[in-house]
Amino acid sequence: MNLFSTSSLRNYWERFPISLRLIIKARLWTAIGAGGVLYLSPIIFNSLGFTAEQIGSGISAAAFSGITTRLGTGYLLDKKFGYRNAIKVACLIAILSDFIFFYSQNYLAYLCGQFFLGGAAGIYWPSAELAIPLNCNSKIKSSEGYSLARSADAIGVTIGVLLGTLGTYCEYTRIIYLIDILCMFYILNIILNKLSINKTGPELKLREDITLKCKEPKKKSNLKWAIKLSPLLLITLFVTGVMSLLQSILPLDLAKGGIIRPPFIEQRVATLLTIKLILLAISQWPVGYILRNKNSPFKFKLCLISILIGCILLSLSTFLVDGYLLILIAFIPLTFSLCIFLPSASDAIIKSSPIKYRGSAIALYSQCFGISSLTVPWMAGKLIDYFDTGFQLWLIVSLICISLLPICKNIK
Protein backbone atom coordinates (compact mmCIF):
# COMPACT_ATOMS: atom_id res chain seq x y z
CA MET A 1 0.00 0.00 0.00
CA ASN A 2 1.27 3.45 -0.89
CA LEU A 3 0.97 5.33 2.40
CA PHE A 4 1.56 8.67 0.74
CA SER A 5 -1.35 8.55 -1.72
CA THR A 6 -4.42 10.67 -0.95
CA SER A 7 -6.79 7.73 -0.45
CA SER A 8 -4.34 5.86 1.75
CA LEU A 9 -3.77 8.91 3.93
CA ARG A 10 -7.54 9.31 4.27
CA ASN A 11 -7.90 5.67 5.29
CA TYR A 12 -5.01 6.03 7.73
CA TRP A 13 -6.68 9.08 9.31
CA GLU A 14 -10.04 7.32 9.63
CA ARG A 15 -8.41 4.42 11.53
CA PHE A 16 -8.16 6.66 14.57
CA PRO A 17 -11.06 7.10 17.03
CA ILE A 18 -13.23 10.20 16.52
CA SER A 19 -12.24 11.65 19.89
CA LEU A 20 -8.54 11.30 19.04
CA ARG A 21 -9.08 12.99 15.69
CA LEU A 22 -10.73 15.91 17.47
CA ILE A 23 -7.76 16.18 19.84
CA ILE A 24 -5.41 16.20 16.83
CA LYS A 25 -7.46 18.98 15.22
CA ALA A 26 -7.33 20.98 18.45
CA ARG A 27 -3.55 20.55 18.59
CA LEU A 28 -3.26 21.67 14.96
CA TRP A 29 -5.13 24.91 15.64
CA THR A 30 -3.24 25.47 18.90
CA ALA A 31 0.03 25.16 16.99
CA ILE A 32 -1.16 27.57 14.28
CA GLY A 33 -1.83 30.22 16.90
CA ALA A 34 1.22 29.50 19.03
CA GLY A 35 3.65 29.20 16.11
CA GLY A 36 3.68 32.87 15.22
CA VAL A 37 3.60 34.00 18.86
CA LEU A 38 6.54 31.86 19.97
CA TYR A 39 8.81 32.30 16.98
CA LEU A 40 8.14 35.89 15.94
CA SER A 41 7.61 37.67 19.26
CA PRO A 42 11.40 38.03 19.77
CA ILE A 43 11.61 39.83 16.41
CA ILE A 44 8.77 42.21 17.34
CA PHE A 45 10.33 43.23 20.64
CA ASN A 46 13.83 43.34 19.20
CA SER A 47 12.53 45.97 16.75
CA LEU A 48 11.28 47.97 19.77
CA GLY A 49 14.85 48.18 21.05
CA PHE A 50 14.76 45.40 23.66
CA THR A 51 18.12 43.75 24.36
CA ALA A 52 18.66 40.01 23.93
CA GLU A 53 18.87 39.72 27.72
CA GLN A 54 15.51 41.48 28.17
CA ILE A 55 13.84 39.24 25.58
CA GLY A 56 15.43 36.18 27.16
CA SER A 57 14.29 37.24 30.64
CA GLY A 58 10.72 37.54 29.37
CA ILE A 59 10.86 34.01 28.05
CA SER A 60 12.28 32.96 31.42
CA ALA A 61 9.30 34.63 33.14
CA ALA A 62 6.98 32.58 30.94
CA ALA A 63 8.91 29.45 31.86
CA PHE A 64 8.67 30.21 35.59
CA SER A 65 4.91 30.60 35.27
CA GLY A 66 4.76 27.40 33.22
CA ILE A 67 6.73 25.40 35.79
CA THR A 68 4.26 26.39 38.52
CA THR A 69 1.15 25.57 36.49
CA ARG A 70 2.60 22.29 35.20
CA LEU A 71 3.08 21.00 38.75
CA GLY A 72 -0.51 21.80 39.65
CA THR A 73 -1.89 20.48 36.37
CA GLY A 74 -0.10 17.12 36.70
CA TYR A 75 -1.43 16.68 40.21
CA LEU A 76 -4.99 17.55 39.18
CA LEU A 77 -4.87 15.21 36.16
CA ASP A 78 -3.89 12.34 38.47
CA LYS A 79 -6.83 13.29 40.67
CA LYS A 80 -9.23 12.83 37.73
CA PHE A 81 -9.53 16.52 36.78
CA GLY A 82 -10.53 16.30 33.10
CA TYR A 83 -8.01 17.30 30.45
CA ARG A 84 -10.86 19.02 28.57
CA ASN A 85 -11.43 21.46 31.43
CA ALA A 86 -7.69 22.11 31.67
CA ILE A 87 -7.49 22.93 27.95
CA LYS A 88 -10.44 25.34 28.28
CA VAL A 89 -8.65 27.22 31.07
CA ALA A 90 -5.44 27.30 29.02
CA CYS A 91 -7.26 28.80 26.03
CA LEU A 92 -8.77 31.62 28.12
CA ILE A 93 -5.40 32.52 29.68
CA ALA A 94 -3.75 32.44 26.23
CA ILE A 95 -6.35 34.90 24.92
CA LEU A 96 -5.54 37.26 27.80
CA SER A 97 -1.81 37.05 27.04
CA ASP A 98 -2.45 37.81 23.35
CA PHE A 99 -4.33 41.00 24.23
CA ILE A 100 -1.46 42.12 26.46
CA PHE A 101 1.14 41.38 23.78
CA PHE A 102 -0.87 43.14 21.09
CA TYR A 103 -0.90 46.44 22.99
CA SER A 104 2.46 46.20 24.79
CA GLN A 105 5.11 48.83 24.08
CA ASN A 106 7.34 48.53 27.16
CA TYR A 107 9.30 45.91 29.03
CA LEU A 108 6.82 45.56 31.93
CA ALA A 109 3.89 44.82 29.60
CA TYR A 110 6.07 42.35 27.69
CA LEU A 111 6.92 40.53 30.95
CA CYS A 112 3.25 40.42 31.90
CA GLY A 113 2.26 38.93 28.55
CA GLN A 114 5.01 36.31 28.80
CA PHE A 115 3.89 35.38 32.32
CA PHE A 116 0.33 34.63 31.20
CA LEU A 117 1.56 32.88 28.05
CA GLY A 118 3.73 30.58 30.16
CA GLY A 119 0.84 29.85 32.50
CA ALA A 120 -1.37 28.86 29.57
CA ALA A 121 1.35 26.60 28.14
CA GLY A 122 1.91 24.96 31.53
CA ILE A 123 -1.74 24.01 31.77
CA TYR A 124 -2.17 23.05 28.12
CA TRP A 125 0.80 20.78 27.41
CA PRO A 126 0.39 18.08 30.10
CA SER A 127 -3.34 17.96 29.31
CA ALA A 128 -2.88 17.74 25.54
CA GLU A 129 -0.14 15.11 25.88
CA LEU A 130 -2.18 12.92 28.26
CA ALA A 131 -5.18 13.25 25.94
CA ILE A 132 -3.41 11.17 23.27
CA PRO A 133 -3.17 7.78 25.09
CA LEU A 134 -6.53 8.42 26.76
CA ASN A 135 -8.19 8.49 23.33
CA CYS A 136 -6.32 5.61 21.67
CA ASN A 137 -8.26 2.36 21.47
CA SER A 138 -6.82 -1.16 21.62
CA LYS A 139 -6.00 -1.13 17.89
CA ILE A 140 -4.04 2.13 17.98
CA LYS A 141 -0.65 2.29 19.70
CA SER A 142 0.14 5.41 21.66
CA SER A 143 3.31 5.80 19.56
CA GLU A 144 1.12 6.15 16.45
CA GLY A 145 -1.07 8.66 18.21
CA TYR A 146 1.91 10.74 19.30
CA SER A 147 3.46 10.60 15.85
CA LEU A 148 0.25 11.97 14.34
CA ALA A 149 -0.10 14.60 17.08
CA ARG A 150 3.46 15.83 16.57
CA SER A 151 2.85 16.03 12.84
CA ALA A 152 -0.19 18.22 13.54
CA ASP A 153 1.93 20.36 15.88
CA ALA A 154 4.65 20.77 13.24
CA ILE A 155 2.22 21.61 10.44
CA GLY A 156 0.35 24.05 12.65
CA VAL A 157 3.48 25.88 13.80
CA THR A 158 4.63 26.14 10.19
CA ILE A 159 1.32 27.65 9.10
CA GLY A 160 1.38 30.05 12.05
CA VAL A 161 4.90 31.28 11.31
CA LEU A 162 4.11 31.51 7.59
CA LEU A 163 1.12 33.74 8.35
CA GLY A 164 3.30 35.80 10.68
CA THR A 165 5.97 36.06 7.99
CA LEU A 166 3.40 37.42 5.58
CA GLY A 167 2.52 39.90 8.31
CA THR A 168 6.15 41.09 8.45
CA TYR A 169 6.11 41.82 4.73
CA CYS A 170 2.92 43.84 5.25
CA GLU A 171 4.63 45.58 8.19
CA TYR A 172 2.00 44.22 10.59
CA THR A 173 3.78 41.42 12.48
CA ARG A 174 1.46 41.76 15.48
CA ILE A 175 -1.25 40.03 13.47
CA ILE A 176 0.13 36.84 15.06
CA TYR A 177 -1.68 37.71 18.30
CA LEU A 178 -5.02 38.19 16.54
CA ILE A 179 -4.55 34.85 14.76
CA ASP A 180 -3.85 33.14 18.09
CA ILE A 181 -7.02 34.60 19.62
CA LEU A 182 -9.11 33.26 16.72
CA CYS A 183 -7.49 29.84 17.05
CA MET A 184 -8.21 29.73 20.79
CA PHE A 185 -11.90 30.45 20.18
CA TYR A 186 -12.03 27.68 17.57
CA ILE A 187 -10.44 25.21 20.02
CA LEU A 188 -12.98 26.17 22.68
CA ASN A 189 -15.68 25.36 20.12
CA ILE A 190 -14.15 21.92 19.52
CA ILE A 191 -13.88 21.20 23.26
CA LEU A 192 -17.33 22.50 24.19
CA ASN A 193 -19.47 21.40 21.24
CA LYS A 194 -17.76 18.38 19.69
CA LEU A 195 -15.36 16.60 22.03
CA SER A 196 -17.76 16.66 24.98
CA ILE A 197 -20.25 14.43 23.12
CA ASN A 198 -17.52 11.97 22.09
CA LYS A 199 -16.48 10.77 25.54
CA THR A 200 -16.02 7.08 24.93
CA GLY A 201 -14.58 3.89 26.25
CA PRO A 202 -10.79 4.31 26.06
CA GLU A 203 -10.68 7.11 28.62
CA LEU A 204 -13.18 5.39 30.91
CA LYS A 205 -11.26 2.14 30.59
CA LEU A 206 -8.01 3.84 31.54
CA ARG A 207 -9.70 5.51 34.52
CA GLU A 208 -10.91 2.06 35.64
CA ASP A 209 -7.36 0.73 35.31
CA ILE A 210 -6.10 3.60 37.46
CA THR A 211 -8.69 2.81 40.13
CA LEU A 212 -7.71 -0.88 40.14
CA LYS A 213 -4.04 0.02 40.40
CA CYS A 214 -4.75 2.23 43.39
CA LYS A 215 -6.53 -0.65 45.14
CA GLU A 216 -3.66 -3.08 44.69
CA PRO A 217 -2.05 -4.03 48.03
CA LYS A 218 1.47 -3.88 46.60
CA LYS A 219 3.23 -0.71 47.78
CA LYS A 220 6.21 0.83 46.07
CA SER A 221 8.10 4.05 46.52
CA ASN A 222 6.44 6.89 44.66
CA LEU A 223 9.85 8.13 43.58
CA LYS A 224 11.09 4.87 42.07
CA TRP A 225 9.40 5.41 38.72
CA ALA A 226 10.74 8.98 38.56
CA ILE A 227 14.32 7.79 39.21
CA LYS A 228 14.06 5.31 36.34
CA LEU A 229 13.05 8.16 34.05
CA SER A 230 16.10 10.30 34.94
CA PRO A 231 18.25 9.46 31.84
CA LEU A 232 15.33 10.25 29.55
CA LEU A 233 14.50 13.42 31.48
CA LEU A 234 18.13 14.59 31.32
CA ILE A 235 18.22 14.23 27.54
CA THR A 236 14.78 15.84 27.35
CA LEU A 237 16.09 18.80 29.33
CA PHE A 238 18.92 19.23 26.85
CA VAL A 239 16.89 18.78 23.66
CA THR A 240 14.14 21.10 24.91
CA GLY A 241 16.89 23.62 25.65
CA VAL A 242 18.02 23.34 22.04
CA MET A 243 14.40 23.78 20.92
CA SER A 244 14.17 26.91 23.05
CA LEU A 245 17.34 28.26 21.44
CA LEU A 246 16.03 27.60 17.94
CA GLN A 247 12.74 29.25 18.84
CA SER A 248 13.90 32.38 20.66
CA ILE A 249 17.67 32.88 20.32
CA LEU A 250 18.35 31.81 16.73
CA PRO A 251 16.17 34.67 15.38
CA LEU A 252 18.22 37.12 17.46
CA ASP A 253 21.49 35.54 16.30
CA LEU A 254 20.39 35.95 12.69
CA ALA A 255 19.23 39.53 13.25
CA LYS A 256 22.48 40.56 14.96
CA GLY A 257 24.81 38.81 12.51
CA GLY A 258 27.90 36.67 13.06
CA ILE A 259 31.63 37.35 13.25
CA ILE A 260 31.71 37.85 9.46
CA ARG A 261 28.13 36.98 8.47
CA PRO A 262 26.11 40.22 8.07
CA PRO A 263 22.90 40.80 10.09
CA PHE A 264 19.63 39.79 8.43
CA ILE A 265 16.62 42.08 8.10
CA GLU A 266 13.38 41.13 9.87
CA GLN A 267 11.72 39.68 6.75
CA ARG A 268 14.72 37.49 5.94
CA VAL A 269 14.85 36.13 9.50
CA ALA A 270 11.15 35.25 9.34
CA THR A 271 11.63 33.62 5.93
CA LEU A 272 14.49 31.42 7.19
CA LEU A 273 12.44 30.36 10.21
CA THR A 274 9.52 29.52 7.93
CA ILE A 275 11.78 27.32 5.78
CA LYS A 276 12.96 25.47 8.91
CA LEU A 277 9.41 24.88 10.07
CA ILE A 278 8.26 23.73 6.62
CA LEU A 279 11.03 21.12 6.75
CA LEU A 280 9.76 20.00 10.15
CA ALA A 281 6.16 19.81 8.96
CA ILE A 282 7.11 17.77 5.89
CA SER A 283 9.47 15.43 7.74
CA GLN A 284 7.71 14.79 11.06
CA TRP A 285 5.31 12.04 10.06
CA PRO A 286 7.60 10.15 7.61
CA VAL A 287 10.52 10.11 10.07
CA GLY A 288 8.25 9.03 12.94
CA TYR A 289 6.70 6.31 10.80
CA ILE A 290 10.04 4.95 9.54
CA LEU A 291 11.62 4.83 13.01
CA ARG A 292 8.51 3.66 14.88
CA ASN A 293 9.92 0.15 15.52
CA LYS A 294 13.47 1.20 16.46
CA ASN A 295 14.51 0.96 20.09
CA SER A 296 14.81 4.06 22.27
CA PRO A 297 18.64 4.09 22.72
CA PHE A 298 19.12 4.07 18.94
CA LYS A 299 16.59 6.85 18.36
CA PHE A 300 17.93 9.16 21.05
CA LYS A 301 21.55 8.61 20.01
CA LEU A 302 20.62 9.46 16.43
CA CYS A 303 18.80 12.53 17.71
CA LEU A 304 21.87 13.83 19.60
CA ILE A 305 24.21 13.18 16.67
CA SER A 306 21.90 15.17 14.41
CA ILE A 307 21.84 18.08 16.86
CA LEU A 308 25.65 17.97 17.04
CA ILE A 309 25.99 18.26 13.27
CA GLY A 310 23.45 21.08 13.10
CA CYS A 311 25.08 23.14 15.86
CA ILE A 312 28.56 22.76 14.33
CA LEU A 313 27.16 24.12 11.04
CA LEU A 314 25.52 27.05 12.86
CA SER A 315 28.87 27.85 14.51
CA LEU A 316 30.73 27.77 11.21
CA SER A 317 28.11 29.98 9.53
CA THR A 318 29.27 33.00 11.57
CA PHE A 319 32.59 33.00 9.67
CA LEU A 320 31.05 33.29 6.18
CA VAL A 321 29.59 36.26 4.37
CA ASP A 322 27.11 33.85 2.79
CA GLY A 323 26.63 32.03 6.10
CA TYR A 324 22.92 31.68 5.50
CA LEU A 325 23.76 28.77 3.16
CA LEU A 326 25.27 26.82 6.06
CA ILE A 327 22.29 27.81 8.18
CA LEU A 328 19.94 26.31 5.61
CA ILE A 329 22.03 23.10 5.56
CA ALA A 330 22.04 23.02 9.39
CA PHE A 331 18.24 23.05 9.38
CA ILE A 332 18.25 19.52 7.86
CA PRO A 333 19.94 17.62 10.75
CA LEU A 334 18.27 19.87 13.35
CA THR A 335 14.85 19.14 11.86
CA PHE A 336 15.63 15.42 11.69
CA SER A 337 16.59 15.43 15.39
CA LEU A 338 13.32 17.05 16.44
CA CYS A 339 11.31 14.66 14.26
CA ILE A 340 12.93 11.79 16.16
CA PHE A 341 12.72 13.28 19.64
CA LEU A 342 9.22 14.73 19.92
CA PRO A 343 7.05 11.61 19.42
CA SER A 344 9.65 9.22 20.87
CA ALA A 345 10.08 11.05 24.17
CA SER A 346 6.33 11.39 24.83
CA ASP A 347 5.73 7.72 24.06
CA ALA A 348 8.71 6.61 26.19
CA ILE A 349 7.42 8.63 29.15
CA ILE A 350 3.96 7.07 28.92
CA LYS A 351 5.30 3.51 28.58
CA SER A 352 7.86 3.89 31.38
CA SER A 353 5.54 5.32 34.03
CA PRO A 354 2.86 3.60 36.17
CA ILE A 355 -0.71 4.16 35.00
CA LYS A 356 -1.80 5.98 38.16
CA TYR A 357 1.12 8.42 37.88
CA ARG A 358 0.90 9.17 34.17
CA GLY A 359 -0.44 12.66 34.76
CA SER A 360 2.51 13.45 37.02
CA ALA A 361 4.96 11.77 34.61
CA ILE A 362 3.69 13.83 31.67
CA ALA A 363 3.85 16.96 33.82
CA LEU A 364 7.43 16.10 34.83
CA TYR A 365 8.35 15.56 31.19
CA SER A 366 6.61 18.78 30.21
CA GLN A 367 8.44 20.48 33.07
CA CYS A 368 11.68 19.98 31.16
CA PHE A 369 10.34 22.36 28.53
CA GLY A 370 9.63 24.91 31.25
CA ILE A 371 12.99 24.55 32.99
CA SER A 372 14.82 24.90 29.68
CA SER A 373 12.83 28.00 28.77
CA LEU A 374 13.43 29.43 32.25
CA THR A 375 17.22 29.19 32.08
CA VAL A 376 18.46 28.74 28.52
CA PRO A 377 17.14 31.90 26.76
CA TRP A 378 18.30 34.17 29.60
CA MET A 379 21.81 32.66 29.69
CA ALA A 380 22.03 32.55 25.89
CA GLY A 381 20.84 36.16 25.68
CA LYS A 382 23.59 37.30 28.07
CA LEU A 383 26.15 35.29 26.09
CA ILE A 384 25.12 36.89 22.80
CA ASP A 385 25.07 40.36 24.35
CA TYR A 386 28.60 39.81 25.74
CA PHE A 387 30.23 38.34 22.61
CA ASP A 388 27.85 40.02 20.12
CA THR A 389 27.69 36.73 18.20
CA GLY A 390 26.21 33.23 18.61
CA PHE A 391 29.40 31.34 17.72
CA GLN A 392 30.31 30.51 21.32
CA LEU A 393 26.74 29.50 22.11
CA TRP A 394 26.46 26.87 19.38
CA LEU A 395 29.92 25.57 20.23
CA ILE A 396 28.93 25.05 23.88
CA VAL A 397 25.75 23.23 22.81
CA SER A 398 27.85 20.92 20.60
CA LEU A 399 30.12 19.99 23.51
CA ILE A 400 27.18 19.25 25.82
CA CYS A 401 25.67 17.10 23.07
CA ILE A 402 28.82 14.96 22.91
CA SER A 403 28.85 14.49 26.69
CA LEU A 404 25.26 13.18 26.70
CA LEU A 405 25.70 10.50 24.05
CA PRO A 406 26.84 7.76 26.50
CA ILE A 407 23.66 7.91 28.63
CA CYS A 408 21.39 7.02 25.69
CA LYS A 409 22.00 3.31 26.43
CA ASN A 410 20.26 3.74 29.82
CA ILE A 411 16.93 4.74 28.27
CA LYS A 412 14.42 1.93 28.25
Side-chain angles (χ1 to χ4, degrees), residues 40-332:
L40 299 181
S41 287
I43 299 176
I44 291 174
F45 292 99
N46 180 66
S47 66
L48 290 177
F50 288 26
T51 66
E53 183 178 354
Q54 285 178 318
I55 293 173
S57 65
I59 297 169
S60 296
F64 177 78
S65 174
I67 286 173
T68 305
T69 52
R70 279 183 180 90
L71 287 172
T73 302
Y75 175 80
L76 290 174
L77 289 173
D78 282 341
K79 297 299 180 182
K80 300 184 181 180
F81 183 79
Y83 67 84
R84 297 177 187 84
N85 293 329
I87 293 175
K88 292 174 196 173
V89 173
C91 287
L92 294 175
I93 297 175
I95 291 171
L96 176 60
S97 74
D98 288 323
F99 275 114
I100 295 172
F101 276 134
F102 187 80
Y103 291 106
S104 63
Q105 295 292 331
N106 56 62
Y107 180 58
L108 182 60
Y110 167 70
L111 280 180
C112 190
Q114 287 285 14
F115 184 82
F116 283 109
L117 178 65
I123 296 170
Y124 171 81
W125 277 111
S127 309
E129 289 288 88
L130 187 61
I132 300 301
L134 284 176
N135 289 282
C136 288
N137 58 28
S138 58
K139 296 180 181 179
I140 303 297
K141 294 181 180 179
S142 60
S143 58
E144 274 192 280
Y146 278 119
S147 181
L148 192 62
R150 292 303 186 183
S151 297
D153 295 341
I155 293 169
V157 168
T158 303
I159 294 172
V161 174
L162 180 59
L163 293 174
T165 300
L166 295 176
T168 65
Y169 282 100
C170 297
E171 297 184 355
Y172 194 59
T173 311
R174 293 196 185 217
I175 195 175
I176 59 178
Y177 303 120
L178 300 179
I179 292 171
D180 193 38
I181 290 171
L182 293 175
C183 289
M184 292 303 103
F185 278 118
Y186 183 76
I187 293 162
L188 285 172
N189 175 62
I190 291 177
I191 299 295
L192 292 172
N193 299 325
K194 296 181 179 180
L195 191 58
S196 295
I197 62 174
N198 281 288
K199 298 179 182 178
T200 51
E203 181 175 357
L204 297 176
K205 178 65 170 61
L206 186 54
R207 293 300 183 194
E208 291 172 3
D209 290 343
I210 293 173
T211 304
L212 291 174
K213 287 281 183 181
C214 291
K215 292 180 179 179
E216 287 181 359
K218 182 172 61 177
K219 299 286 183 181
K220 291 187 178 181
S221 170
N222 288 348
L223 293 177
K224 191 173 181 180
W225 61 270
I227 294 172
K228 289 181 178 179
L229 291 177
S230 57
L232 175 58
L233 292 175
L234 186 59
I235 290 179
T236 298
L237 197 61
F238 169 72
V239 178
T240 54
V242 173
M243 291 172 62
S244 183
L245 290 175
L246 296 177
Q247 172 184 301
S248 58
I249 299 300
L250 179 60
L252 293 177
D253 183 23
L254 297 176
K256 287 180 173 291
I259 295 173
I260 296 176
R261 188 190 70 220
F264 295 161
I265 61 174
E266 183 176 300
Q267 290 84 355
R268 195 171 188 182
V269 173
T271 301
L272 285 172
L273 292 177
T274 302
I275 291 172
K276 181 176 75 69
L277 293 170
I278 288 173
L279 282 174
L280 182 62
I282 293 173
S283 306
Q284 180 65 79
W285 185 79
V287 171
Y289 184 81
I290 292 169
L291 297 177
R292 68 192 186 283
N293 294 323
K294 299 293 183 181
N295 59 55
S296 292
F298 173 81
K299 287 192 283 190
F300 286 105
K301 187 175 291 185
L302 191 59
C303 171
L304 291 177
I305 292 172
S306 299
I307 291 175
L308 175 62
I309 296 171
C311 288
I312 289 174
L313 291 172
L314 289 178
S315 297
L316 294 175
S317 73
T318 64
F319 295 102
L320 300 174
V321 174
D322 293 330
Y324 71 93
L325 295 174
L326 275 186
I327 293 170
L328 288 172
I329 297 172
F331 285 167
I332 297 173

Side-chain angles (χ1 to χ4, degrees), residues 274-410:
T274 302
I275 291 172
K276 181 176 75 69
L277 293 170
I278 288 173
L279 282 174
L280 182 62
I282 293 173
S283 306
Q284 180 65 79
W285 185 79
V287 171
Y289 184 81
I290 292 169
L291 297 177
R292 68 192 186 283
N293 294 323
K294 299 293 183 181
N295 59 55
S296 292
F298 173 81
K299 287 192 283 190
F300 286 105
K301 187 175 291 185
L302 191 59
C303 171
L304 291 177
I305 292 172
S306 299
I307 291 175
L308 175 62
I309 296 171
C311 288
I312 289 174
L313 291 172
L314 289 178
S315 297
L316 294 175
S317 73
T318 64
F319 295 102
L320 300 174
V321 174
D322 293 330
Y324 71 93
L325 295 174
L326 275 186
I327 293 170
L328 288 172
I329 297 172
F331 285 167
I332 297 173
L334 289 172
T335 298
F336 185 65
S337 68
L338 297 183
C339 290
I340 296 170
F341 172 78
L342 290 170
S344 302
S346 299
D347 189 50
I349 287 288
I350 286 293
K351 289 180 177 177
S352 302
S353 56
I355 292 177
K356 64 178 180 178
Y357 293 122
R358 280 184 176 175
S360 296
I362 283 290
L364 191 60
Y365 162 70
S366 183
Q367 202 71 284
C368 293
F369 289 76
I371 293 172
S372 297
S373 297
L374 178 64
T375 55
V376 172
W378 177 74
M379 291 189 296
K382 287 186 73 70
L383 196 65
I384 288 181
D385 280 342
Y386 183 79
F387 290 104
D388 205 32
T389 176
F391 168 72
Q392 293 83 0
L393 172 64
W394 304 117
L395 188 61
I396 291 170
V397 174
S398 300
L399 294 174
I400 296 173
C401 195
I402 293 171
S403 69
L404 289 176
L405 280 170
I407 73 170
C408 291
K409 63 183 179 182
N410 298 319

